[in-house]
Amino acid sequence: MADEKSAKDISLAVVGGGYWGKNLVRNFHNLGALKLICDSNDIVFEKYREQYKDVETCLAFNDVIRDDSIDAVVISTPAETHYQLAREALLADKHVYVEKPLVLDENEAQSIIQIAKERNRILMVGHLLQYHPIFMKLKELALSGELGRINYIYSNRLNLGKIRREENILWSFAPHDISMILALAEDEPESVIATGGFYLHSKIADVTTTHMEFKSGMQAYVHVSWLHPFKEQKLVVVGDRKMAVFNDTKQWEDKLLLYPHRIKWEHNIPVADKAEAEKVDVPQQEPLRQECEHFLNCIATGKTPITDGNEGLRVLRVLKAGQRSMDLKGRMVKLKTGAETPGPLACQIDCFFHDSAVIDKGSEIGKGTKIWHFSHVLGGSKIGENCNIGQNVVIGPDVTIGNQCKIQNNVSVYKGVTLEDGVFCGPSMVFTNIYNPRAEIPKMDQVRNTLVKKGTTIGANATIVCGCTLGRYCFVGAGSVVNQNVSDYALVVGNPAKQIGWVCECGERLPDDLECLFCGKKYDSDLENRNLVVKSQ
């Protein structure tokens, strides 16, 4: 890598010091790499300042990416924040470790993978069990042929809690098991079927079962639940020579057992020939420390992580297919595999497409979305739920648009542009994606990404120059030309666009006291970051 630093000389920041982040803080501190902890909650820092007196703390992520002494960023925040944080860190030339899942969208995953490649940065996903010495030994046995041909794999990840509300059990528990199964299969599944049980909340699955079928004929099953009477974390691999059981709730010496069972045929009848279980001796080491060391070593040597961005993308594809199958009441979802990187499968349930609209294969359209006359959605693009796409709109390729967006007539949303939820694009406004285009010189390898955050309004005939980020609920006046980042809630107008005030989430301009006269919402100014924050309703 360009850094030419040894693992012991690397300085990193952990972003998110909560439930799981505290374990990353502990391990990277023990490895001598931790310089900075970043968290938006100052209360979190009280214990850290006492426990890790040699470590700095900060509240703003911008302080992390602006610090030239920080070589790498470790992200342990809610999944919906992973893409933006990872993207900003990579663009600041930091190496990035992201806790599972990598991101929530395939196009976002492909985007940060490409950025990491272009910037020559390490991008690693926290699929912890790939670094568990027991699983590493099991993987070695399976790939060496010790188990013979693998017929099927099943895993149980069951417990009573930790119950979440920001994600369902499939996204919370299953990524680890899917990651292990894909590593053992050395392939992606051809199809996925998933069903869920919804007991505590009508829209958040508490129990799921996921069935995967592979080209080799191997099948895999994942059962996860946070409504189980006892803890069980078990992976069973059934080969035609031996069967292996990785039971992570057992004592270390009993965690990996091999069963040399066989099936004999007597008089054309299969008969089970059972044998005693064999314990496998594996040196005891903490999996998380192994994972953290691996990240540092990859930075120092330039080696590709075991769980790099592409591995995270493969797991994400299975999760997305499982979620789609659940949404379709357990219907089979087919996946494409191989060298080609496919876009999401088209989903056209409860949507409206005008007869003149063109929806390319490989695009995904969310429930309730309407696409009107002469509009074209190119392959690899994802449009969320309940969007309204006007006439003569072009989207893509490989563009992500969130839920409840409204794109008016004659707008082109080019590759490199991402719209979060609730974005309004006025008639004939313009996005660009190449900063200095030439008709005679291909420059699609120079695409500059543009991020439009939640709730943004862009007025008619405005132009957004590529490479900018438009903050949450900002408002771009009609005809304006934006050539730099816009703060959250900022009102900008002119050419080039300048900030002239602040706007409320309801779209009305705020008075000097920052209390909306129309909806009553109050704001505080964040002078350091030139933003507003909601104070109260």
Side-chain angles (χ1 to χ4, degrees):
M1 304 299 293
D3 302 79
E4 296 184 352
K5 289 187 177 183
S6 66
K8 66 179 181 179
D9 296 325
I10 294 167
S11 295
L12 58 77
V14 172
V15 181
Y19 173 72
W20 185 250
K22 65 179 184 294
N23 299 313
L24 293 164
V25 166
R26 171 175 56 84
N27 273 277
F28 281 115
H29 183 265
N30 290 342
L31 291 168
L34 183 64
K35 178 183 178 181
L36 179 64
I37 304 170
C38 177
D39 197 287
S40 59
N41 185 357
D42 192 42
I43 298 175
V44 171
F45 293 141
E46 293 181 6
K47 61 179 181 180
Y48 286 140
R49 288 174 181 140
E50 179 64 27
Q51 189 173 0
Y52 305 110
K53 296 181 179 179
D54 58 331
V55 177
E56 301 172 20
T57 59
C58 71
L59 293 169
F61 183 66
N62 282 342
D63 292 340
V64 177
I65 60 175
R66 290 171 182 167
D67 190 338
D68 292 336
S69 69
I70 297 295
D71 304 302
V73 176
V74 176
I75 299 170
S76 181
T77 57
E80 62 268 20
T81 68
H82 287 182
Y83 170 67
Q84 182 60 26
L85 295 178
R87 177 180 179 273
E88 291 184 17
L90 289 167
L91 290 174
D93 288 327
K94 313 292 187 188
H95 303 280
V96 173
Y97 167 113
V98 187
E99 264 307 323
K100 59 84 184 168
L102 173 60
V103 290
L104 298 178
D105 178 86
E106 294 173 43
N107 292 326
E108 290 179 351
Q110 291 166 355
S111 173
I112 60 173
I113 289 169
Q114 184 62 28
I115 294 171
K117 181 179 179 180
E118 292 171 353
R119 299 274 177 162
N120 199 26
R121 300 294 95 181
I122 295 295
L123 174 61
M124 178 170 152
V125 189
H127 290 150
L128 175 63
L129 291 175
Q130 287 257 31
Y131 302 93
H132 197 302
I134 299 294
F135 175 74
M136 295 174 74
K137 182 62 178 180
L138 172 56
K139 180 180 174 182
E140 176 189 323
L141 294 171
L143 300 187
S144 70
E146 180 75 14
L147 308 182
R149 179 182 183 273
I150 297 178
N151 293 322
Y152 74 89
I153 302 172
Y154 83 80
S155 65
N156 289 343
R157 189 163 300 274
L158 315 169
N159 205 354
L160 186 60
K162 177 179 188 264
I163 298 167
R164 298 174 184 265
R165 281 296 167 260
E166 69 273 13
E167 61 189 8
N168 64 31
I169 188 67
L170 174 72
W171 290 84
S172 183
F173 278 24
H176 291 304
D177 301 280
I178 293 170
S179 177
M180 289 190 291
I181 288 168
L182 298 189
L184 294 173
E186 294 189 295
D187 198 1
E188 295 182 58
E190 289 190 314
S191 65
V192 176
I193 297 174
T195 58
F198 303 78
Y199 306 108
L200 302 181
H201 192 286
S202 62
K203 293 185 179 180
I204 300 175
D206 306 295
V207 181
T208 64
T209 57
T210 304
H211 175 206
M212 293 170 271
E213 292 190 2
F214 294 80
K215 186 177 181 179
S216 66
M218 189 189 89
Q219 299 191 22
Y221 312 85
V222 178
H223 178 207
V224 292
S225 171
W226 51 40
L227 291 180
H228 200 71
F230 56 87
K231 186 175 183 178
E232 181 175 327
Q233 296 178 358
K234 186 182 294 183
L235 180 75
V236 177
V237 183
V238 177
D240 61 6
R241 292 183 57 195
K242 292 182 180 180
M243 305 174 188
V245 178
F246 170 20
N247 191 338
D248 206 15
T249 60
K250 295 287 187 179
Q251 295 293 323
W252 188 270
E253 60 272 15
D254 296 320
K255 284 184 182 292
L256 181 57
L257 299 179
L258 290 184
Y259 292 84
H261 300 328
R262 293 189 303 164
I263 302 297
K264 294 183 178 180
W265 290 83
E266 297 178 2
H267 307 292
N268 289 323
I269 298 175
V271 178
D273 181 15
K274 298 182 180 180
E276 292 294 323
E278 303 170 354
K279 295 183 179 181
V280 181
D281 184 28
V282 180
Q284 185 168 351
Q285 293 173 308
E286 183 185 358
L288 185 55
R289 182 181 177 93
Q290 294 282 98
E291 185 177 43
C292 294
E293 285 184 330
H294 184 72
F295 179 54
L296 296 175
N297 287 331
C298 287
I299 294 172
T301 64
K303 180 180 178 181
T304 300
I306 296 171
T307 55
D308 66 349
N310 289 307
E311 195 270 346
L313 175 57
R314 290 190 289 271
V315 173
L316 178 62
R317 286 197 188 111
V318 177
L319 289 169
K320 295 284 284 186
Q323 184 65 56
R324 195 174 301 122
S325 178
M326 279 202 297
D327 293 342
L328 297 174
K329 307 301 181 185
R331 282 172 51 187
M332 178 183 289
V333 173
K334 295 280 189 178
L335 284 82
K336 294 180 181 179
T337 57
E340 180 187 0
T341 300
L345 304 175
C347 176
Q348 301 179 359
I349 299 172
D350 296 330
C351 298
F352 169 80
F353 305 145
H354 189 268
D355 290 343
S356 63
V358 178
I359 314 298
D360 283 359
K361 185 178 181 180
S363 57
E364 180 179 1
I365 314 297
K367 180 178 179 181
T369 287
K370 298 177 180 179
I371 300 179
W372 294 95
H373 307 66
F374 308 111
S375 289
H376 186 185
V377 180
L378 284 76
S381 296
K382 177 184 176 182
I383 301 176
E385 298 182 357
N386 300 315
C387 293
N388 196 330
I389 311 300
Q391 299 181 32
N392 196 35
V393 172
V394 177
I395 296 173
D398 305 321
V399 161
T400 298
I401 294 175
N403 300 321
Q404 293 185 296
C405 290
K406 189 170 186 178
I407 301 178
Q408 299 286 68
N409 300 348
N410 307 314
V411 174
S412 293
V413 186
Y414 295 118
K415 182 175 183 177
V417 177
T418 298
L419 308 185
E420 294 187 346
D421 295 346
V423 171
F424 178 94
C425 296
S428 301
M429 62 78 49
V430 176
F431 289 105
T432 70
N433 61 2
I434 302 297
Y435 190 77
N436 53 345
R438 291 289 195 193
E440 299 174 333
I441 305 173
K443 291 193 175 186
M444 285 307 293
D445 60 340
Q446 299 177 24
V447 168
R448 294 190 183 184
N449 295 322
T450 297
L451 176 64
V452 183
K453 292 188 176 182
K454 181 178 180 180
T456 290
T457 292
I458 304 173
N461 294 300
T463 298
I464 310 301
V465 178
C466 57
C468 296
T469 295
L470 277 61
R472 298 171 69 251
Y473 296 102
C474 71
F475 201 111
V476 178
S480 300
V481 178
V482 176
N483 61 1
Q484 59 184 350
N485 294 345
V486 178
S487 300
D488 296 351
Y489 303 99
L491 171 62
V492 298
V493 298
N495 181 6
K498 302 292 184 182
Q499 183 173 349
I500 62 169
W502 302 100
V503 289
C504 180
E505 289 183 5
C506 72
E508 300 295 335
R509 186 168 181 174
L510 292 169
D512 292 341
D513 65 0
L514 302 180
E515 181 175 348
C516 183
L517 299 176
F518 292 85
C519 72
K521 186 170 289 187
K522 298 178 181 179
Y523 297 80
D524 278 335
S525 59
D526 180 357
L527 297 178
E528 181 179 356
N529 296 306
R530 299 179 62 193
N531 277 332
L532 293 188
V533 292
V534 177
K535 182 178 181 181
S536 65
Q537 293 289 136

